[in-house]
Amino acid sequence: MSTMAIIPASFRQGAARFLRWWGAELWACLPAELRETARRGRQRLVVEITESKATFSEARGKHLKRLGAVTLESGKSGDGAAAGNEGADAQRAMVARIIDNAGMRSAQVALRLPRGQVLRRVVDLPAAAAENLREVLGFEMDRHTPFKAQEVYYDYRVKEVDPQRKRLKVDLVVIPRGVVDRMVRIAEAWGLDLDVVEVTGGDSG
């Protein structure tokens, strides 16, 4: 199981390039002193939102320390306190308490999506497509996925180049807009400014 981080280039402005890959292998290629500097940088708050619950964790390297959870319907909060029928104000207060108790008010906020909500494909294209790869993938989105380009957020990275065949293979990750937009609305209602969208998954298929 690997973790791919996808960073919004201009998240709130809705720029065309919504996502940018940041692969775990790139982190591994960084010099040791740079990796250590990054580890000593901003704290990182990971938010995972399902249909019924939001879970908050502190990222410590590849591991997560659970801080608490908030239900999105009647029930209890993840730390055991009664939540009742939580409205937006109550949820916002609970989220603030979790973050403040952990001392993570200034942390980078990462929204983590489970593998099941993300579609990944390896797309084979002519090498000439590299000149305007984003536009080509958008134009052919409905050939490679069940969606049209305007229905999804997507990004890519070049996986392999074959100069002899003049072909390239591209890792394509596709997230339905409705999935991301719902989570963004929830996070913003809690006063969270998202910095990163992460996708947790295995190999492309």
Side-chain angles (χ1 to χ4, degrees), residues 1 13 25 31 44-45 63-65 77 79-80 87-88 106 117 120 125 145 152 162 178 185-187 197 201 205:
M1 183 72 70
Q13 290 73 20
E25 66 278 7
R44 193 155 159 274
L45 177 68
H63 304 287
L64 296 180
K65 176 186 177 183
S77 65
D79 57 8
S106 61
Q117 293 179 319
R120 293 181 64 184
L125 294 170
T145 76
V152 299
D162 187 337
R185 286 194 299 269
I186 291 172
V197 177

Side-chain angles (χ1 to χ4, degrees), residues 29-71:
C29 291
L30 287 175
E33 60 271 20
L34 291 183
R35 292 201 302 269
E36 183 61 26
T37 298
R39 289 192 184 99
R40 293 197 300 265
R42 288 179 68 188
Q43 293 174 295
R44 193 155 159 274
L45 177 68
V46 176
V47 184
E48 299 173 85
I49 301 176
T50 67
E51 289 297 322
S52 60
K53 183 174 65 174
T55 303
F56 299 84
S57 304
E58 179 184 358
R60 294 184 173 181
K62 295 183 178 180
H63 304 287
L64 296 180
K65 176 186 177 183
R66 183 184 171 100
L67 303 175
V70 173
T71 57

Side-chain angles (χ1 to χ4, degrees), residues 30 50 55 80 95 107 114 122 134 167-168 171 193 205:
L30 287 175
T50 67
T55 303
V95 170
V122 176
R134 171 163 292 278
R167 308 289 295 183
L168 55 85
D171 267 334
D193 291 326

